[in-house]
Structures are given as structure tokens and as C-alpha cells.
Amino acid sequence: MANKTEIEETATELGALKIEIARPSRGIPHIKDKINATTFPVILSKVMLNGNIPPTPPKQDEIWKYTQLLCILCLEKPATRKRVYHMFIPTGDVQIDVYERVKKKYENRKDIKIVGQLTECTLCARTLCRRIQKMFKNAKWNKSRNIFELDMDADADVSDVSRRLNAIRKEEEEKLLKYIMYSSVT
């Protein structure tokens, strides 16, 4: 089989026009980094723009435009030996202390002690909330399903809940990346 230069020379001798073969612009994106809040806008724009040259990555200050916060206030009820977790999605400006409004609800109650707070920076906070509701099936939820109560044991510790939330967030981001890759191929 003849190589590319031999074919081009033969085509030139015959007086044929040199035609470049168009390469398809769509395909599986080559992603070297794992998906996270920093790389997601670049990957998404690469897929949506169908190009190999991605836009410049956002500056550290601009990352907040692409992400949402899921906040969880951790509380304890020492009398009943229960841990209570209050989930909420803050609205408005991120720089305002988002926990103050929720803490005010619990400050005057003597039976509840504020233990800590967890904040997850995610691409879709509502999806993460739904996954948390499915994951903690053994928890006692309120009617609006934003406050759940667990027994005080090793599985309900604040650090364990934080670790599980982080794992769920990573799973959701990987699912989203796989969906984007699938939709770019089809």
C-alpha cells in the first residue's frame, strides 16, 4: 500500500487538486484530569463547542458561578442520644454567613446543642439532597425532608457523615461526566 506522500505526488502529476480529508470534529473528548469543580466548565465547553481548544479555565474567584453549596448544620440531642442534621441550600450571596439564619432557630432551645457544620460545594445541590435522602433510609426525616435524625453511634458521627457526603458528591460528578461523554458521542 502506498504511503501518503506517494499518493500526493501521483495526484499532483495527474493534475488533480489537493484535497484535505476532513476529520470529524466530534468524538470522545480526551480528558486527562479527573472531573472537579475547576475542570468541569472546561470539559463541558469542550464537548458543547466541539473543538479541541478549550476556553481558558475560570479563575479561582469565578468557580463559585458554576457551583452550588449544600450546607448541613450538625446538632445533638444529649437527652435522647440522637444526632440531628439540618440540610439547606443557601440562596443569595455566598459570602454572607449562611449558617447564622439556621443557627438562630436552635440557639434558644436547651435540649439541642450545636456541634458543627458541613459544607459541600457541588454542581447540583438538589441532586445531592435527593441522593442523601436515599442513602440515609434508616434516618427519621421530617415532612419537608430537609432534617434527619440518627442515633448516636459510630455510623452517625459528623466525620463519617462528611466522608459519605463527599463520596456521594464525587459519584454524582462522575455520573455527570459520563453522561456528557455519552451525549457527545451520540
Side-chain angles (χ1 to χ4, degrees), residues 16-186:
L17 296 172
K18 186 176 178 182
I19 300 172
E20 293 283 328
I21 298 173
R23 292 192 174 104
S25 61
R26 293 185 64 117
I28 299 172
H30 300 287
I31 301 167
K32 296 174 187 170
D33 299 327
K34 286 213 170 239
I35 186 162
N36 58 34
T38 310
T39 60
F40 177 74
V42 176
I43 294 168
L44 183 62
S45 64
K46 210 174 187 184
V47 170
M48 299 303 279
L49 296 175
N50 296 329
N52 291 332
I53 302 170
T56 58
K59 297 176 185 159
Q60 194 65 23
D61 297 338
E62 294 176 356
I63 289 176
W64 294 104
K65 293 178 185 176
Y66 304 105
T67 57
Q68 297 175 346
L69 292 179
L70 174 67
C71 302
I72 300 176
L73 186 65
C74 307
L75 311 161
E76 278 186 2
K77 290 183 177 178
T80 59
R81 297 198 38 81
K82 300 276 187 185
R83 284 198 175 93
V84 179
Y85 297 94
H86 185 130
M87 287 192 310
F88 61 98
I89 300 170
T91 56
D93 195 9
V94 177
Q95 295 170 353
I96 300 171
D97 192 7
V98 294
Y99 288 97
E100 290 303 317
R101 180 177 49 106
V102 179
K103 281 183 182 179
K104 287 180 184 177
K105 294 180 183 178
Y106 299 106
E107 283 178 347
N108 296 332
R109 295 185 60 179
K110 294 180 182 177
D111 62 330
I112 293 179
K113 179 178 137 186
I114 298 172
V115 177
Q117 57 195 30
L118 301 172
T119 306
E120 279 294 326
C121 186
T122 182
L123 297 170
C124 182
R126 293 266 180 228
T127 306
L128 192 59
C129 282
R130 299 291 178 251
R131 285 289 307 271
I132 291 169
Q133 291 168 356
K134 289 178 183 177
M135 185 178 75
F136 289 105
K137 290 181 180 179
N138 61 342
K140 182 180 174 185
W141 290 87
N142 68 342
K143 286 184 181 180
S144 55
R145 298 193 52 91
N146 66 335
I147 300 172
F148 61 100
E149 190 174 281
L150 296 169
D151 292 327
M152 268 194 201
D153 57 358
D155 292 338
D157 189 21
V158 177
S159 61
D160 185 59
V161 170
S162 174
R163 182 184 53 77
R164 291 165 78 179
L165 289 176
N166 203 5
I168 290 173
R169 180 188 54 80
K170 286 180 182 177
E171 268 181 36
E172 285 298 316
E173 288 176 354
E174 286 175 5
K175 280 183 181 179
L176 183 61
L177 175 66
K178 287 178 183 176
Y179 174 74
I180 291 169
M181 289 171 55
Y182 171 76
S183 64
S184 70
V185 171
T186 57

